[in-house]
Every structure is written in structure tokens, then in C-alpha cells.
Amino acid sequence: MVQEPLRAICWDRDAVAIVDQRLLPERIRIIRCTTAAQVVQAIKQMAIRGAPAVGIAGAMALALGARRIQA
């Protein structure tokens, strides 16, 4: 059986799914953020760490915010 690798951050339908890195390696918990503010909060609380992951999370937060803008 081939198992996909766990990603620190990815899209989950209409949300950003973030592995809560504060709990590793004892537990794996996924935080599902549906708003840009929730992603920002996850960054501030250090649920996601490392410059590349934080940059990606910020870009995904912008995309979540852009989705809410109606033309």
C-alpha cells in the first residue's frame, strides 16, 4: 500500500489545512482554516513554522481573502 506523504500545509477544498507543528512528534493534528484571519492566527501561534511554510501560508491566506471579494 502506497501512502502519500504528510504535507505541512495544503488546500483542503475551500480551506487551508495546516499540520499543528506545536504537537509534533507526539501527535498529528490538522488545523482547517477557512478565513485569512485564521491562517494569520495559526502563524502567530506558531502552529506552522519555518520561513518557506510561513510564506506559503501567507500566500494561501491572501488567496482565501481574494476568494471572498465579489466583482
Side-chain angles (χ1 to χ4, degrees):
M1 172 183 232
V2 176
Q3 193 174 27
E4 287 192 37
L6 182 63
R7 296 172 190 245
I9 185 166
C10 65
W11 285 109
D12 179 20
R13 291 172 293 231
D14 60 342
V16 176
I18 297 172
V19 173
D20 190 340
Q21 295 179 8
R22 299 169 294 187
L23 304 177
L24 295 176
E26 289 84 23
R27 287 188 359 198
I28 294 176
R29 176 177 162 235
I30 306 297
I31 301 170
R32 222 169 154 271
C33 302
T34 56
T35 67
Q38 289 173 334
V39 176
V40 169
Q41 194 63 27
I43 294 169
K44 284 182 177 181
Q45 293 176 348
M46 303 231 4
I48 190 148
R49 302 179 201 174
V54 169
I56 291 167
M60 290 174 130
L62 286 172
L64 280 174
R67 287 181 172 186
R68 293 180 175 257
I69 298 172
Q70 295 184 5

